[in-house]
């Protein structure tokens, strides 16, 4: 059974509309602003996850873990002191 010209035109039109929809969908997925927004959202999500992980190290069900905060502060002060000392020694040596 052969198709009438009107049936063929209707099939062609339907195929064009489907293809046009696919192209619009694809172009919206690869548009630079969409990629930028998606990347920024991934970065924000990852940063929030890391912040939550760090927070769990310093805060638990009992409250703030001052022992861990104190340890970090002491290590930071120690690193700064060593850095300052080495910098001073370097200045004395390479005058």
């Amino acid at each position: 059974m052969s198709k009438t010209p009107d049936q063929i035109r209707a099939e062609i039109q339907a195929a064009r509309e489907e293809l046009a929809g696919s192209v619009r969908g694809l172009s919206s997925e690869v548009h630079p602003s969409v990629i930028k927004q998606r990347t920024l959202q991934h970065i924000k999500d990852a940063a929030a996850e890391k912040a939550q992980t760090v927070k769990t190290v310093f805060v638990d069900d009992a409250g703030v873990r001052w022992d861990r905060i104190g340890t970090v502060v002491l290590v930071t002060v120690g690193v700064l002191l060593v850095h300052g000392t080495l910098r001073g020694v370097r200045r004395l040596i390479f005058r």
Side-chain angles (χ1 to χ4, degrees):
M1 180 169 175
S2 67
K3 297 179 182 180
T4 66
D6 288 337
Q7 289 174 327
I8 294 171
R9 284 186 197 100
E11 287 179 5
I12 291 172
Q13 184 60 31
R16 284 181 182 156
E17 289 173 7
E18 183 181 340
L19 181 60
S22 297
V23 169
R24 276 192 299 272
L26 180 61
S27 66
S28 69
E29 284 291 316
V30 296
H31 194 277
S33 65
V34 173
I35 292 172
K36 175 185 163 189
Q37 288 301 321
R38 193 174 26 222
T39 303
L40 286 174
Q41 190 58 49
H42 286 310
I43 291 169
K44 288 177 184 178
D45 292 344
E49 183 180 325
K50 292 295 180 185
Q52 185 61 35
T53 302
V54 170
K55 183 179 176 183
T56 60
V57 170
F58 296 106
V59 179
D60 60 10
D61 295 336
V64 177
R65 299 284 311 260
W66 291 107
D67 58 327
R68 291 188 179 176
I69 292 173
T71 302
V72 170
V73 168
L74 288 175
V75 168
T76 303
V77 168
V79 167
L80 291 174
L81 286 173
V82 168
H83 175 69
T85 303
L86 291 176
R87 195 170 177 187
V89 168
R90 192 182 99 214
R91 284 184 184 168
L92 286 174
I93 292 173
F94 296 109
R95 278 187 156 185

